[in-house]
Amino acid sequence: MVLDSKIPEGPLQEKWQNYLAQSRLINPANKKKLHILVVGSGLSGAGAAATLAEMGYQITCFCYQDSPRRAHSVAAQGGINAAKNYQHDGDSVWRMFYDTLKGGDFRSREANTYRLAELSAPLIDHFVQQGVPFAREYGGVLANRSFGGVQVQRTFYARGQTGQQLVLAAYAQLSKMIHAKKVTMLPKHEVLDIVVINGQAKGVIARQLETGTLVKFAADAVVLATGGYSRVFRLSTLAIGCNGSAIWKAHKRGAFFAAPSFTQIHPTALPQTSNAQSKLTLMSESLRNDGRIWVPKKKQDTRKPQDIPEAERDYYLERRYPSFGNLAPRDIASRAAKERIDAGYGVGPLKNAVYLDFKHALERIGKAGIADKYGNLFAMYEKITGINAYKEPMKISPAAHFSMGGLWVDYELMTTIPGLYAIGECNYSDHGANRLGANSLLQTSIDGYFILPNTINTYLADALQQPRPDVNHPEFQAVANEVSGQIAKLMAVNGTRTTDDFHRELGKIMWQECAMSRHKAGLEAALKAIEALKQAFWTDVKIPGRADSLNPELEKALRLADFIELAQLMCTDALQRNESCGAHFREEYQTPEGEALRNDADFAYVSVWEYTPEGFNLHKEPLRFQYVQPTVRSYK
């Protein structure tokens, strides 16, 4: 298959407008004849469902939660980027494009990345019109702050709950369309497979989680908006229910998977405290605007942080990266923390954390100033840890977070299966090998509100001329039989180990060998260990309860079966990329100073994987840089 990215002609600044000028349109009366399934109701899914419904399409929207308001988009606390240059500090669409391309270590398409920056300013206006209560300066203008990897202030925020406020705005628009009977909302439904007929996506098979009933849904197009897959590490900042099952099933049906090993480790999460934990808590990167990160200069220092004088503190990010300091990009900040912890300078009961200290910020702007910016984050930290961060430093540690990899999509956000789209975090689109902070809410919102509603028409214009298969088509029953067969097989194992036990083992393998740093021997060992784990899972997992009723253990087992196979692809992808770039740090490829050593001569491409029963086949999408020449990624 030839990977056609469908990048429009013309100068970079005109590509999106050229695309819009030449894209196909559909008569409003004809849109009412077309049906779209939207899987997921976070920011990208809710935004897409509401916008497409308002355009006139018939929409069915799924979520496995009891309400779209519980989508994991609420957890993105710190802010959303936009190139509005309110501070007159030199920002522009071009600078935001460059920062994002550089932040991803030049492993993303120029055209997609520029479009992200181009649409950022109108998106903020869109959210303001929806009533999002962004922070404002005294004169009324929207406030901004900085995030990692940039030297300007372009992050708009609503205290430390930006994601929640954006989700509420999207939910309001979605509710309006539900009330108008333009969207059929199906909570507590988990999509377990995609139905492909004559090479085109024409429906899904979903499980009603309360009854266990498998239900078939037919449509003219399918949109996946199902989020990221970092729960493959088990301990991550993601909600426990977050999973990669929908995109993995799409992959096995023919949708190519791009750069699966590009997963981000966030530098500011709460450290693990015991093996019994099921997830880790994210502390917003926005805290790095005013908090300073340090460790004691003395190994295994047992003194309280307040008792360690300034001269005996190592502000290691400021020391190693003086130009960016505590606002170094996430991949660099995470690896720097790991290096200090591994060297014996970690703090906390398990010596697995570093300090995030607000002492100097409190002296500069006072407790009221800090509380105004981050009050809810400080309250959350004290509720979880029992520590008042106004009086002593927070303890933070790197944790698995965002997935830059995902289903390969072209400029229109369509996968290699015609009629199947992937939006938001579940696609590989804009971020390359590392995502800059506050670009997550931006991408997911732009995909759902602005891009997909303008690109899906091109495909659907032809769908008008084709009969839509209904759920009585033999392929629907064939796929439903495969799903029910997998469920029956899992329930019949009746082994001795819980799903959580297997997931815990998978997480340890992945965290050790395919997280912040990787090397050839470790990845090869991981692939062998995962294959052995897969065999053990399918012969010794224990799933209590029944398949025809509410069964959270079955849900977890189905998701873990997909995670195990995804982990194999992640390690395979990391093994073939003999370079270090962004979040992919191969220990064999680093500078004498310990920084990532990129290989543009041999690896300036997106690794795109095709699933076959015999294994994974690699395809390559070359990355051509016409407007920005890749340079050594330095933040010093």
Side-chain angles (χ1 to χ4, degrees), residues 27-302:
N27 183 298
N30 284 334
K31 288 176 182 173
K32 298 174 183 177
K33 304 174 184 176
L34 295 165
H35 191 181
I36 304 171
L37 305 180
V38 179
V39 185
S41 58
L43 268 178
S44 59
T51 305
L52 292 169
E54 193 141 20
M55 291 167 64
Y57 293 112
Q58 300 176 53
I59 306 297
T60 300
C61 185
F62 304 84
C63 71
Y64 61 76
Q65 302 98 336
D66 56 0
S67 166
R69 288 182 58 178
R70 292 175 63 84
H72 190 62
S73 301
V74 301
Q77 304 156 328
I80 178 170
N81 288 334
K84 277 187 168 289
N85 196 30
Y86 281 162
Q87 273 64 40
H88 301 288
D89 54 1
D91 202 10
S92 65
V93 169
W94 181 268
R95 188 176 296 275
M96 183 174 173
F97 153 69
Y98 177 78
D99 286 345
T100 302
L101 197 69
K102 174 186 174 183
D105 219 352
F106 303 98
R107 289 295 175 262
S108 57
R109 298 187 197 121
E110 283 184 328
N112 286 66
T113 305
Y114 189 88
R115 180 174 63 181
L116 183 77
E118 178 185 0
L119 295 177
S120 64
L123 181 69
I124 296 300
D125 296 336
H126 175 79
F127 277 130
V128 169
Q129 290 164 352
Q130 286 187 346
V132 173
F134 288 118
R136 294 179 181 268
E137 303 290 358
Y138 178 77
V141 69
L142 298 181
N144 284 144
R145 55 191 179 199
S146 295
F147 260 58
V150 303
Q151 292 182 309
V152 298
Q153 297 181 75
R154 67 164 67 104
T155 305
F156 295 77
Y157 63 96
R159 277 202 174 181
Q161 51 182 259
T162 313
Q164 180 178 348
Q165 295 302 324
L166 299 188
V167 166
L168 289 174
Y171 178 67
Q173 299 304 308
L174 180 61
S175 297
K176 175 184 173 185
M177 292 297 103
I178 294 171
H179 184 72
K181 301 189 184 308
K182 295 182 179 181
V183 172
T184 300
M185 188 70 221
L186 295 174
K188 302 179 183 178
H189 281 70
E190 183 162 22
V191 169
L192 296 182
D193 217 328
I194 312 297
V195 179
V196 179
I197 300 175
N198 297 326
Q200 297 178 307
K202 291 298 181 182
V204 302
I205 306 298
R207 182 172 181 267
Q208 209 290 333
L209 297 180
E210 288 183 318
T211 65
T213 305
L214 295 183
V215 193
K216 311 178 190 101
F217 296 90
D220 297 290
V222 179
V223 178
L224 300 182
T226 53
Y229 52 84
S230 284
R231 276 281 293 170
V232 71
F233 296 96
R234 188 173 182 271
L235 287 179
S236 77
T237 63
L238 274 61
I240 293 174
C242 292
N243 62 86
S245 286
I247 58 172
W248 188 251
K249 292 300 171 56
H251 176 54
K252 296 179 78 170
R253 292 288 171 195
F256 287 9
F257 209 116
S261 67
F262 287 174
T263 52
Q264 184 173 77
I265 310 300
H266 199 291
T268 55
L270 300 189
Q272 181 182 1
T273 57
S274 78
N275 285 330
Q277 276 182 259
S278 57
K279 75 174 301 293
L280 299 172
T281 301
L282 174 68
M283 298 303 294
S284 170
E285 182 183 319
S286 63
L287 294 168
R288 292 200 280 152
N289 272 279
D290 290 297
R292 299 179 70 192
I293 296 172
W294 62 277
V295 292
K297 290 183 177 180
K298 175 185 173 183
K299 290 186 178 182
Q300 305 298 325
D301 199 324
T302 58

